[in-house]
């Protein structure tokens, strides 16, 4: 559903981390009402709101005041929304990325994997200067079951930015990311590593291809090798073995299904 909506919704407002402008700039440029007025052709303009008026009536006086921050539909930053849903042999169910936060020349990337089994391991590697431009970093066992709780990769992504690597590396994870992160990243990889998804069997040096325009994320090794590795894979022990989080791990479903409990 997210992908279908994104395909038909233009990207009209560019603010941090996709640009130099912040939320104050966005407000001064017309804010949410200005964006909604541009999107009226896609909205139910007669829908009643808490003001007692329709959406269209509420937006009568709205308008764009700074076209550097908010564009019209005809001059949109991108014809599609800022979120893209990827699939491939590395994410057979789905994965999520934010092309709005990436430079155009980073939407198609080939590289070699550097694999970490936790957020902490990656942070240590960044501090030790082990990450280099061109690396495709894989962080796994951070999904709903593995985290547990689908941990956010905010800290390593901010560190990569601080080390000047945000625009030259890519991070792939079964965890999640923050709306304030920028650079190349793919999150919500499903099935997650703890469920035996293909992300669990990626090895250092494996070639990976990310093709966001075509919505693909692939491990570029033969299918029979992937199958063989999956047969040999064993599920690690959960990080938490008792209490509420242990129960959560037993019940939680994949990010692809919204990490619901079932």
């Amino acid at each position: 559903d997210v992908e279908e909506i994104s395909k038909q919704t233009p990207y009209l407002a560019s603010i941090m981390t996709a640009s130099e402008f912040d939320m104050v700039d966005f407000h001064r440029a017309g804010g949410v009402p200005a964006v909604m007025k541009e999107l009226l052709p896609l909205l139910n303009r007669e829908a009643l709101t808490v003001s007692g008026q329709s959406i269209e009536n509420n937006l009568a006086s709205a308008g764009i005041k700074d076209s550097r921050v908010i564009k019209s539909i005809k001059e949109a930053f991108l014809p599609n929304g800022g979120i893209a849903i990827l699939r491939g042999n590395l994410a057979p169910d789905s994965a999520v990325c934010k092309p709005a936060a990436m430079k155009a020349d980073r939407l198609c990337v080939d590289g070699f994997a550097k694999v970490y089994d936790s957020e902490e391991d990656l942070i240590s590697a960044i501090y030790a200067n082990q990450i280099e431009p061109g690396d495709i970093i894989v962080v796994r066992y951070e999904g709903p079951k593995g985290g547990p709780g689908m941990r956010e990769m905010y800290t390593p992504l901010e560190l990569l930015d601080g080390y000047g690597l945000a625009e030259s590396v890519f991070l792939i994870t079964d965890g999640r990311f923050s709306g304030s992160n920028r650079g190349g990243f793919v999150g919500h990889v499903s099935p997650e590593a703890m469920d035996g998804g293909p992300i669990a069997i990626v090895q250092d040096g494996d070639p990976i291809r990310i093709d966001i325009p075509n919505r693909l994320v692939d491990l570029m090794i033969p299918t029979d090798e992937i199958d063989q590795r999956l047969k040999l894979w064993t599920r690690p022990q959960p990080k938490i073995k008792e209490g509420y989080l242990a129960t959560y791990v037993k019940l939680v479903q994949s990010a692809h299904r919204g990490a619901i409990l079932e």
Side-chain angles (χ1 to χ4, degrees):
D1 291 344
V2 171
E3 177 65 14
E4 288 306 310
I5 292 171
S6 187
K7 283 180 180 179
Q8 58 183 307
T9 308
Y11 172 38
L12 300 183
S14 185
I15 56 176
M16 290 181 176
T17 55
S19 76
E20 62 185 291
F21 300 110
D22 59 24
M23 287 300 292
V24 175
D25 299 315
F26 175 64
H27 173 71
R28 290 171 178 163
V32 172
V35 174
M36 288 182 68
K37 190 164 187 177
E38 281 299 313
L39 290 176
L40 265 180
L42 302 178
L43 303 179
N44 177 4
R45 60 181 69 207
E46 299 303 322
L48 192 65
T49 70
V50 293
S51 70
Q53 302 294 317
S54 69
I55 286 178
E56 185 171 26
N57 287 342
N58 284 349
L59 300 175
S61 62
I64 298 171
K65 300 174 183 177
D66 189 341
S67 60
R68 298 174 303 166
V69 184
I70 303 173
K71 299 288 188 184
S72 67
I73 283 185
K74 293 181 179 179
E75 299 174 330
F77 290 103
L78 292 171
N80 309 123
I83 298 293
I85 307 301
L86 312 185
R87 290 181 174 84
N89 67 8
L90 194 49
D93 289 340
S94 62
V96 182
C97 72
K98 189 170 73 169
M102 304 174 197
K103 292 183 177 179
D105 62 356
R106 298 292 293 164
L107 298 180
C108 294
V109 174
D110 287 87
F112 298 96
K114 279 189 178 174
V115 183
Y116 301 93
D117 286 344
S118 71
E119 176 187 10
E120 289 80 4
D121 288 349
L122 172 57
I123 290 172
S124 297
I126 296 171
Y127 281 134
N129 294 306
Q130 295 173 359
I131 307 300
E132 301 173 350
D135 285 344
I136 295 186
I137 303 162
V138 176
V139 183
R140 60 195 178 195
Y141 298 111
E142 294 292 12
K145 288 183 183 293
M150 203 171 185
R151 299 172 73 200
E152 182 183 305
M153 298 298 111
Y154 176 83
T155 299
L157 283 164
E158 288 297 304
L159 283 173
L160 290 169
D161 193 15
Y163 275 69
L165 293 166
E167 303 295 347
S168 61
V169 301
F170 229 101
L171 189 149
I172 298 176
T173 180
D174 53 8
R176 59 193 176 91
F177 48 80
S178 166
S180 64
N181 287 129
R182 71 182 185 91
F185 48 88
V186 174
H188 296 227
V189 170
S190 299
E192 65 173 291
M194 202 68 173
D195 268 341
I199 191 172
I201 53 86
V202 180
Q203 298 177 3
D204 285 337
D206 281 348
I208 292 176
R209 174 169 297 160
I210 300 158
D211 183 347
I212 294 172
N214 289 307
R215 304 299 195 254
L216 297 172
V217 54
D218 284 314
L219 183 60
M220 304 301 288
I221 63 175
T223 301
D224 57 354
E225 183 172 348
I226 294 175
D227 293 341
Q228 183 62 24
R229 290 187 193 180
L230 287 171
K231 289 178 182 178
L232 297 174
W233 174 81
T234 56
R235 179 178 285 104
Q237 289 294 312
K239 298 172 186 174
I240 297 175
K241 299 180 176 62
E242 57 185 24
Y244 288 115
L245 275 178
T247 302
Y248 170 86
V249 168
K250 293 176 182 178
L251 298 176
V252 71
Q253 305 300 303
S254 73
H256 178 71
R257 297 189 60 205
I260 60 171
L261 299 182
E262 191 172 87

